[in-house]
Every structure is written in structure tokens, then in C-alpha cells.
Amino acid sequence: MSTLDALIYEKQDSIAYVTLNRPKVLNAYNIQMRDELYQILSAIKDDLDVMCVIFKGQGEKAFCAGADLTEFLTAPSPTIARRVRFERDVWGLFLSVPQPIIVALHGYVLGDGLEIALCCDIRIASENAKFGMPELGLGIIPAAGGTQTLARTVGKAKAFEMLYTGRHINAEEACRTGLVNRVVPRDRLLATADSIARRIVSYDQKAVRMVKEAVVRGLDIPLTAGLELERRLAKV
Ligand code: COA
């Protein structure tokens, strides 16, 4: 187990656990967390012993309440604050991780928190989870991929509603709209994520990675090219 400042990294039975660890500020995403996330995702990508990743949040109130507003507000301008966050392409890195990623979501899942969740492959929510995109209310737009990943996950109309209104939606609505895969009681959240991860770890890992590659790359290309990609992967 390595405890960094903003994250905890653990590895057990070929499953990597990444815990957002700033519970006093509802795991708000700051520059420290960005740098540590970059470091950990790079290590995971190259670690053949990691066959599945689980993201989770420390504390009872939130998975992550979005960008750290104190950092935002102390930057000389929102543009500079935003530029600082672009210095490392954490989101590009996130989406290029070849292993399956599961996220266990509880409490507030807002802004960057929701964007982290949207970079994951399977989202499990506890019954108390609340989801929202508050960026427009702060005079900015989501820039951790949210305008793209949200619309691709819940469709254009629901994405626009969440982005334009900033309304928090509950776990049941999130499940109905496809934002999360499954809703479970809070005390079953980690066990549910774990049991899915253990199933994945039991499979042939080359095949698992090929499924991820086929789905992720396939969504960006026309169906005929996607079918060709699948044929090529099946022959490897
Ligand atoms: N950045 C920095 N600190 C944050 C934070 C954020 N995004 N969200 C919460 N915190 C801090 C609060 O300032 C508070 O700190 P304090 O105890 O030192 O006063 C602590 O976390 C607990 O939050 P609090 O607001 O007291 O909890 P709550 O249950 O009353 O409200 C929220 C929860 C999520 C509704 C509220 O904290 C909130 O609106 N946060 C900001 C959400 C946001 O706009 N994120 C940015 C997205 S781009």
C-alpha cells in the first residue's frame, strides 16, 4: 500500500485499488491529486500484474465534490486555473488504461468527480449517491472530458439537462438513464465492485484487454470499421 497525499494506492490479488483521500474536503480534486493520479495511472498501465482497477472515495459524504474550489478561487483567473489543470493529460491517460476500471460511487459525485467516474468502465452506485455537473454555475465548462463522456453515456438530451441545470440526480435516476450500471446499499458497495473485479481477474487477460480495446476504439469509428477491428483482434 502506498499513501500519497491525496490518494491511497493498494494492490491485492491482481486488483489495484485507488482511493481519493481528501475526505475533509469531500475528496475535492486538486493539483496534488491530479499529479498523483497521473503517476498512479501510468504505473497501472505498465503493471502486468494489475488485471482490474477499482476507484473509490474515502469518507462517508462523497466520492468527490468536484474541482477544489479554493485552488480555483486563488488562481489569478479561471483561465489560468484551467490551464494549470491541462498541464498533464490525465484524462487522455485515464481513457487509455488497457485494464478494466470499476468505480464505487457514494455520496456526492460532482463535476470532476463525475468525470473521473465517466472515465471508468463500470459504475456501481450506493443508494445515497448524488450526481451533478455544476460547472456552468461557476462560469466554466467541464474540461475533464465531461461534455464528451457524459453525452456518450446518457445521450444528448440527458447530458444537456445535467449540464444546463446543474441539478443533482439521485442514484435511482442515474441508473435509469444509464449513468451507473447498478445501485446497491452503501454497505454492499465495495463488495459488489470487488466481486465484479474478481470475476474479471479470473478470465484470460489477453481476451479481457481485447474486449476493452474493441469496445473503446470501436465507439469512435463507423460500425463497418468496428467490425473489422473486432475481426483483427479475434485473430490475434
Ligand atoms: N472544493 C474545496 N472544498 C470543498 C469542495 C470543493 N469542491 N466541496 C466541499 N468542500 C469542503 C467544504 O468547504 C467544507 O469544508 P469546511 O468543513 O472546512 O467548511 C467541507 O468540504 C464539507 O463541505 P460542506 O459544504 O460543509 O458539506 P455540505 O454537505 O453542506 O455540502 C456540497 C456538500 C457538495 C453540496 C457542497 O460542499 C458543495 O456545493 N461543494 C462544491 C461543489 C462544486 O461546485 N464543485 C466544483 C465542481 S467544478
Side-chain angles (χ1 to χ4, degrees):
M1 166 167 148
S2 15
T3 305
L4 303 142
D5 268 351
L7 298 177
I8 300 170
Y9 182 61
E10 295 157 284
K11 203 165 82 174
Q12 200 182 4
D13 302 333
S14 296
I15 303 170
Y17 298 85
V18 183
T19 308
L20 311 189
N21 188 30
R22 304 184 71 219
K24 285 190 183 143
V25 289
L26 311 190
N27 298 321
Y29 183 81
N30 65 354
I31 290 170
Q32 182 72 29
M33 192 181 280
R34 176 204 68 182
D35 287 346
E36 292 179 8
L37 194 53
Y38 193 88
Q39 185 187 332
I40 283 175
L41 289 172
S42 304
I44 286 174
K45 239 183 123 165
D46 292 338
D47 189 340
L48 286 176
D49 188 40
V50 172
M51 299 178 185
C52 189
V53 185
I54 295 180
F55 268 79
K56 57 194 171 79
Q58 192 76 290
E60 270 318 301
K61 279 184 80 173
F63 170 72
C64 171
D68 190 313
L69 292 171
T70 58
E71 254 178 21
F72 234 85
L73 300 175
T74 51
S77 74
T79 319
I80 291 175
R82 178 55 37 96
R83 199 182 310 138
V84 168
R85 295 165 75 209
F86 275 128
E87 274 166 13
R88 282 172 186 263
D89 183 15
V90 176
W91 313 108
L93 178 62
F94 220 130
L95 294 168
S96 71
V97 169
Q99 297 98 326
I101 309 180
I102 300 167
V103 63
L105 300 162
H106 73 281
Y108 292 104
V109 185
L110 305 177
D112 280 348
L114 182 48
E115 292 177 288
I116 288 174
L118 286 162
C119 288
C120 301
D121 305 326
I122 295 184
R123 286 170 284 283
I124 309 296
S126 73
E127 289 161 344
N128 74 344
K130 291 171 273 293
F131 303 84
M133 284 289 202
E135 281 84 349
L136 274 187
L138 298 163
I140 54 174
I141 74 165
T147 58
Q148 303 306 303
T149 51
L150 183 63
R152 279 167 170 77
T153 304
V154 299
K156 192 163 85 170
K158 193 70 192 176
F160 271 138
E161 185 198 334
M162 289 183 72
L163 292 161
Y164 286 157
T165 68
R167 181 170 74 84
H168 292 180
I169 68 170
N170 65 22
E172 187 271 321
E173 186 175 352
C175 195
R176 209 171 351 109
T177 56
L179 185 56
V180 301
N181 297 69
R182 212 188 282 181
V183 181
V184 295
R186 175 71 177 102
D187 61 1
R188 294 289 310 147
L189 182 62
L190 290 179
T192 305
D194 236 18
S195 92
I196 297 171
R198 284 179 198 285
R199 167 72 66 102
I200 290 170
V201 163
S202 74
Y203 295 140
D204 177 274
Q205 288 307 300
K206 199 167 143 207
V208 170
R209 285 178 181 230
M210 284 195 296
V211 161
K212 179 156 180 177
E213 183 182 347
V215 172
V216 172
R217 285 182 51 202
L219 282 172
D220 281 339
I221 54 183
L223 180 60
T224 45
L227 293 172
E228 177 52 34
L229 169 67
E230 187 190 75
R231 255 193 306 274
R232 261 187 286 123
L233 288 168
K235 280 190 208 141
V236 173

